[in-house]
Amino acid sequence: MLNIVLFGPPGAGKGTQSQKLIEYYNLTHISTGDLFRKHLGEGTALGQQARTYMDAGQLVPDRLVIDMVDEKLDEDHQSKGIIFDGFPRTIAQAQALDELLEKRKMPITGMIALDVPDEELVQRIRERGKTSGRVDDQDEAKIATRLEVYRSETLPVANYYQKQGKYVAINGVGKIEEIFQKIMHEINQLQTYR
Ligand code: AMP
């Protein structure tokens, strides 16, 4: 199995690259942001609980996120593995994910982090906001909050995987196809040495 955590700040290109990876490797995409937006759209209780946090650019509480992923992992996936996109975003989530996967005998193959400078992130998020309809993409203060939250709460997660020897970073600036090639190269390395 190939289980990859695609990591990086908002606007790094995780969603775009996930789409290419799921197609190429026949993987299941678990994007917690997409799942929450689906709950919001359907007006579920979970969606209502998540809304205030999402609108403010803050993280949804760990327990809600972890339970949602746990449920998603129970679905019957006929794929060769999973891409985790936007999850885990805290150390507690990373620890919980290890437990969830251990139960199912399917460890994380590796984390691939996309490095993109802040100025470029802000530009990309603003651009996405013109078409995504996402409230959190259209407000400067919310964009700034999300980048701050990323630095303070999410960045330590990279270190968590680094300690397990499962972390690789690549430059996330450039053409989508070139970045995809670099990710595939890293995945091949991870598969060879694991
Ligand atoms: P994203 O689409 O990944 O940028 O996520 C949009 C919003 O959903 C985030 O700003 C958070 O409010 C919430 N969210 C998504 N994934 C997580 C997560 N793993 N932990 C906490 N909150 C999350």
Side-chain angles (χ1 to χ4, degrees):
M1 274 193 109
L2 177 64
N3 298 313
I4 297 288
V5 175
L6 197 55
F7 189 75
K14 302 187 294 296
T16 305
Q17 293 298 334
S18 289
Q19 286 310 324
K20 296 178 78 68
L21 290 164
I22 56 172
E23 209 171 295
Y24 187 86
Y25 290 101
N26 183 18
L27 304 172
T28 298
H29 186 203
I30 297 189
S31 157
T32 45
D34 285 353
L35 289 172
F36 279 130
R37 279 184 288 277
K38 189 157 179 274
H39 277 279
L40 274 181
E42 290 169 357
T44 67
L46 177 58
Q48 274 162 23
Q49 283 173 292
R51 182 189 296 277
T52 29
Y53 300 98
M54 294 175 75
D55 283 352
Q58 297 288 350
L59 294 183
V60 176
D62 287 335
R63 189 33 57 201
L64 297 180
V65 188
I66 294 162
D67 287 349
M68 181 175 74
V69 172
D70 194 6
E71 205 171 289
K72 190 77 193 161
L73 286 170
D74 276 340
E75 287 176 11
D76 186 20
H77 302 299
Q78 299 294 330
S79 60
K80 300 236 163 66
I82 298 175
I83 294 271
F84 294 96
D85 163 3
F87 177 86
R89 255 175 156 103
T90 62
I91 294 287
Q93 290 180 19
Q95 287 165 339
L97 180 60
D98 275 349
E99 284 165 25
L100 293 178
L101 295 181
E102 203 172 309
K103 266 199 309 204
R104 295 168 171 94
K105 306 255 173 292
M106 43 181 285
I108 288 291
T109 313
M111 166 185 268
I112 298 179
L114 298 173
D115 273 343
V116 178
D118 277 8
E119 310 76 59
E120 168 117 8
L121 293 172
V122 174
Q123 255 179 351
R124 286 188 191 179
I125 297 171
R126 277 191 202 131
E127 205 49 44
R128 182 172 69 187
K130 290 182 190 163
T131 52
S132 70
R134 283 178 57 170
V135 193
D136 60 347
D137 280 349
Q138 295 174 33
D139 180 311
E140 294 297 319
K142 284 175 190 162
I143 297 174
T145 305
R146 281 154 72 207
L147 293 176
E148 270 165 39
V149 168
Y150 173 77
R151 267 191 292 274
S152 60
E153 298 185 52
T154 304
L155 209 46
V157 177
N159 193 32
Y160 179 87
Y161 287 93
Q162 210 158 18
K163 281 195 208 143
Q164 297 184 11
K166 292 184 174 179
Y167 172 86
V168 263
I170 64 164
N171 182 356
V173 181
K175 294 208 172 74
I176 291 172
E177 189 56 35
E178 283 166 10
I179 297 166
F180 180 54
Q181 295 295 329
K182 285 192 270 185
I183 296 176
M184 285 202 299
H185 174 76
E186 293 302 341
I187 288 180
N188 289 340
Q189 299 282 104
L190 284 167
Q191 284 181 315
T192 310
Y193 298 108
R194 203 144 283 284

